[in-house]
Amino acid sequence: MISQEAKKKENTYKFKTCNLKTFKKNISEFKEDKFANTFISKANLQNQWKYCVGLYDQDELMGAIITTFSINEPKIANLQLLHTFYKHRKKGVGKKLCQFSLNQAIKNKCWYYRVSSEKVSVKFYEKIGFKMLGEQKSKCQLSMFRISCNTFSDCNYDINDPIIKKALYRKGKGGCVTIF
């Protein structure tokens, strides 16, 4: 149950674009923020800062997400990167960022939503409703669903769907070596 004070605090939360400088400024020395450096490296390597959205409390960045949308049909939203800064963990920041991402996928008329999660993050994704469908060669776990609603738990994770099946059994990068 969320207290009235917590609800008032959440009313100050805003989604805004996030750039490298702002992201870097919020990294702490805590080991839980170590992934933030990986986030930076991947976003730089793949030139994805233009897709980065942060959740802010006033002017303080609490976390950020990068989601890309394919241009080919059927359109697929791919959650590329997600990080909640250590001091903002356990506040629902990651969940809010993921929900924002799904809402953007719906607005962009995507048919599918995909995330490849490192093992350390699988419990988080499952807690907010994702179903992991398989393990990739990289040891990451793949979740993919047909967007049929606006909640992760109620969408269609049917591995017999031709697009999901193709992603799961894809040879090479991104495909799964084990199907759950």
Side-chain angles (χ1 to χ4, degrees), residues 7-55:
K7 281 186 181 182
K8 280 183 184 177
K9 183 76 174 155
E10 281 189 11
N11 287 335
T12 66
Y13 295 175
K14 300 283 185 242
F15 293 99
K16 303 190 279 192
T17 58
C18 176
N19 61 33
L20 173 59
K21 182 179 176 183
T22 302
F23 189 89
K24 272 185 171 179
K25 185 175 82 175
N26 288 277
I27 300 172
S28 75
E29 296 298 318
F30 291 103
K31 67 177 172 69
E32 291 85 354
D33 270 348
K34 186 178 177 188
F35 180 75
N37 293 311
T38 302
F39 186 110
I40 289 170
S41 296
K42 288 183 177 182
N44 286 343
L45 181 67
Q46 297 172 356
N47 194 25
Q48 293 181 330
W49 286 104
K50 61 187 168 237
Y51 306 113
C52 189
V53 174
L55 181 59

Side-chain angles (χ1 to χ4, degrees), residues 54-127:
L55 181 59
Y56 294 79
D57 181 4
Q58 312 278 330
D59 290 328
E60 185 175 3
L61 179 63
M62 298 186 297
I65 192 166
I66 294 177
T67 309
T68 58
F69 308 107
S70 69
I71 54 174
N72 298 330
E73 292 293 338
K75 286 177 73 173
I76 299 171
N78 194 345
L79 192 163
Q80 299 284 346
L81 294 163
L82 171 67
H83 183 71
T84 301
F85 293 101
Y86 176 68
K87 74 185 247 184
H88 297 290
R89 301 258 169 109
K90 308 293 182 202
K91 295 180 182 178
V93 172
K95 181 179 181 177
K96 286 175 180 49
L97 286 164
C98 287
Q99 188 62 54
F100 176 84
S101 173
L102 178 57
N103 293 343
Q104 291 303 111
I106 293 167
K107 283 182 186 175
N108 280 281
K109 299 184 179 5
C110 292
W111 292 46
Y112 293 89
Y113 193 96
R114 180 183 194 282
V115 63
S116 179
S117 172
E118 294 184 16
K119 278 194 174 188
V120 68
S121 301
V122 167
K123 281 187 179 182
F124 161 76
Y125 286 111
E126 289 177 335
K127 183 178 176 184

